[in-house]
Amino acid sequence: MGMEFGWWKKTIETGKFQVHAIVHGGNIKWVRKQGHHTSWEPYIPTQDDWDQLIYEADKRYVRRLISPKQLAEINKLKVVATSTDL
């Protein structure tokens, strides 16, 4: 089953926009949208985005909306993604 996490982010360069991380089958897809009438476009996450994703997943885990296995999968995706960026 896929999981979708989303939040708003604001930067000086681009202004305010939505970020969504879609986790499904051991893969993660990052997209962003800036404005009501614009399309979702690919997004390259920063370390802060990964931290926000883990924070959002932890909140869902405490409320039992995701399983321990799903939380471990998200943590594993973060480790793999941040280790390849170095």
Side-chain angles (χ1 to χ4, degrees), residues 8-74:
W8 287 91
K9 186 172 180 176
K10 188 175 185 179
T11 63
I12 296 170
E13 300 85 29
T14 58
K16 188 174 178 182
F17 57 93
Q18 281 181 291
V19 175
H20 278 200
I22 301 131
V23 181
H24 185 63
N27 297 314
I28 189 163
K29 179 181 176 185
W30 292 87
V31 291
R32 72 181 289 264
K33 182 178 180 180
Q34 186 170 3
H36 185 68
H37 297 290
T38 59
S39 299
W40 290 99
E41 56 189 41
Y43 178 69
I44 300 172
T46 63
Q47 183 62 40
D48 290 338
D49 294 321
W50 280 105
D51 293 341
Q52 183 69 30
L53 175 61
I54 298 298
Y55 172 75
E56 295 291 334
D58 284 338
K59 284 193 326 189
R60 290 186 188 186
Y61 175 71
V62 170
R63 295 174 11 216
R64 297 183 181 179
L65 298 175
I66 65 174
S67 69
K69 185 177 177 181
Q70 290 171 318
L71 182 62
E73 179 183 333
I74 292 170

